[in-house]
Amino acid sequence: QAAALTPAQAKAFTPKFVKFVSDDGVSGLTPATLAAIPPKSFAAISNLDALTDVNTPALTSAQVNALTAAQITALSTTNDDSQYLSKAALVGLDKKNIVGLDVTKVTDEQFTALTADQLNALTTVANGQVASLSETQVELITAAQAKGLTAKFIGAVEAGDVSKLSAAAITALTPAAFAGLTGNISGLNADNIAAFSSAQVNSLSADKIKALSAVDNAIENLSPAALAGLDKKNIGGLDVTKLTPEQLAGLTVDQLNLFSTTSTAATANQITGLSVEQAAAITVKQAAGLSAKFVAALASDDVAALTDTAFAAIAPKALAGLPSAQLVGLTSGNIALLTSAQVNALTSEQISALGDN
C-alpha cells in the first residue's frame, strides 16, 4: 500500500498522520514519495529506523535539517542508514543536529562533502566526534575544509591521526587554527612539518615549540620560511641542537640574539648548546650583528670554529664582551684578521689572553 502512495499525496502528509505509519509503510515508501513529505511531517516519523538503503538516498536537505540530534543518531546507528544520505541531504546537517551523527559511519565521499562549519560543529570533548575520526577521514580533509577549521577542532584530533593531515591541508590552516595544536603536536611527521608556514610557526607558544623540538626530525624539517616565524615570544622553546648548520645560517641575526644565555628549569642555554658545526655556519652578515651577550656566551670551541671572515666581522663592542677563556681558543687565522678597532676594544687582560695562543 505504501508503495502505491504518490508524491502528490505525500505533500499533504501531516505530522499526526505519519506517526501512525507502520514500519512496513515507511520502508515501502518510494524514493519520490519520501522526498515529497514536508520536512515538519518527516521529522514526526517515529520509526526512522524503518528507512532503507533504497529510499534513504532520496531524503532532502530540508528533511534532514528538520531532524533532531537524537533522530540523526538513530539514523546513524540503525541499519547504518546515514551512509546512504546524499551529498545534497548532508547540507541539512547543522550545529543543532550534526552532534548526533556517528562519524564512524560516514563514507569517504560524504566526509569530503561536509563543510568546514559542519566539521567545526562536531563535538571536541574527549572521545567525541573529532577524536573518533579515522586516519583515513583525517587524511581526506581538503584544503577548502582546512581553511575554515577552528583551533578547537585541530586540538581535538587524536595525536595518532594528526600526522595524516595532508601537506595541502596543513598549508591551508589559518595561524589561529594551527595554534590549536596541543599534545597532539607529538603526532606530526616530517611531511606535515615541511609544510608549516612562517605565520603558523609564529602562532605557536614557546612551550609548543619545545614540544615540537621533541618530535623526531621535526626541527630539521622546518623550511627556512617556517623558521622565520620564530621570534622573541617563542624562540626560547627551540632546541637549537636540532637545527642543521644550514638552518642556523638562515636565521636572522635578530633571532640569534634572542637565544637564551642562561639555563633555567624550563629552557637550556641555547648558545652554549651550539655545536662547532653550527658555529662554523654563522655567516659574515650574522656575525656583524651579534650582540655582546651572544658572543660572550659562546663556548671556546665554538669561538675557534667561527670562520676567519665571520670572526673579523664581529663588532668591536660585541667582541669586547668575549671572556679571556674564550680568547685563548682563537686560531691564528682568527687573530690575524682582527681589526684595529677590535683590538682597541679589548682590555689588557684580553690582549694578554691572545698572547697565550
Side-chain angles (χ1 to χ4, degrees):
Q1 291 179 324
L5 292 170
T6 66
Q9 292 172 314
K11 287 180 180 179
F13 286 178
T14 64
K16 187 175 182 180
F17 174 82
V18 299
K19 285 181 180 179
F20 299 101
V21 178
S22 66
D23 288 355
D24 288 342
V26 172
S27 63
L29 290 170
T30 66
T33 300
L34 181 64
I37 298 175
K40 186 176 180 180
S41 298
F42 175 76
I45 296 176
S46 59
N47 47 352
L48 288 172
D49 56 334
L51 289 172
T52 69
D53 58 345
V54 174
N55 55 18
T56 299
L59 294 179
T60 67
S61 62
Q63 288 173 323
V64 171
N65 187 254
L67 298 178
T68 64
Q71 288 175 307
I72 293 296
T73 298
L75 198 63
S76 294
T77 56
T78 306
N79 302 323
D80 297 345
D81 284 334
S82 61
Q83 67 180 304
Y84 304 119
L85 290 172
S86 67
K87 288 183 179 181
L90 286 172
V91 175
L93 293 171
D94 61 13
K95 62 183 179 181
K96 76 173 183 298
N97 62 12
I98 199 170
V99 293
L101 182 67
D102 183 347
V103 294
T104 66
K105 305 293 179 62
V106 174
T107 67
D108 293 351
E109 185 178 12
Q110 288 176 318
F111 187 80
T112 54
L114 295 176
T115 65
D117 287 341
Q118 288 175 311
L119 292 178
N120 288 331
L122 298 176
T123 58
T124 55
V125 295
N127 301 315
Q129 289 171 303
V130 177
S132 297
L133 294 177
S134 67
E135 288 185 353
T136 299
Q137 288 173 319
V138 173
E139 190 173 12
L140 286 171
I141 292 175
T142 65
Q145 290 171 321
K147 188 177 181 180
L149 293 178
T150 63
K152 196 173 180 182
F153 179 98
I154 293 300
V157 177
E158 292 281 282
D161 298 333
V162 75
S163 66
K164 297 301 179 180
L165 285 168
S166 68
I170 287 283
T171 301
L173 291 173
T174 64
F178 187 81
L181 287 168
T182 53
N184 55 3
I185 204 168
S186 64
L188 293 168
N189 62 28
D191 290 337
N192 299 143
I193 294 163
F196 288 2
S197 70
S198 170
Q200 289 172 329
V201 170
N202 187 254
S203 73
L204 298 179
S205 65
D207 285 343
K208 290 179 181 179
I209 293 294
K210 185 177 181 179
L212 187 64
S213 294
V215 177
D216 288 344
N217 301 314
I219 300 303
E220 296 94 318
N221 280 287
L222 287 174
S223 68
L227 287 170
L230 294 169
D231 63 10
K232 63 181 179 181
K233 76 173 180 297
N234 62 13
I235 202 169
L238 178 68
D239 182 348
V240 298
T241 66
K242 302 293 181 67
L243 288 172
T244 66
E246 292 76 19
Q247 285 177 311
L248 187 124
L251 297 178
T252 67
V253 67
D254 287 339
Q255 289 176 308
L256 292 180
N257 285 332
L258 288 171
F259 282 1
S260 65
T261 57
T262 57
S263 297
T264 67
T267 62
N269 184 324
Q270 291 171 307
I271 298 176
T272 58
L274 294 176
S275 67
V276 291
E277 291 80 14
Q278 289 172 317
I282 292 175
T283 67
V284 171
K285 184 176 180 180
Q286 289 171 323
L290 292 178
S291 66
K293 190 176 180 182
F294 182 100
V295 173
L298 282 171
S300 56
D301 286 348
D302 291 338
V303 174
L306 292 169
T307 64
D308 292 342
T309 50
F311 183 78
I314 297 175
K317 183 183 288 188
L319 192 66
L322 199 62
S324 299
Q326 273 93 316
L327 286 170
V328 173
L330 293 180
T331 66
S332 57
N334 293 147
I335 296 172
L337 286 173
L338 284 173
T339 65
S340 58
Q342 288 175 318
V343 173
N344 288 335
L346 300 178
T347 64
S348 57
E349 182 181 352
Q350 288 173 313
I351 292 174
S352 175
L354 283 177
D356 293 334
N357 287 293

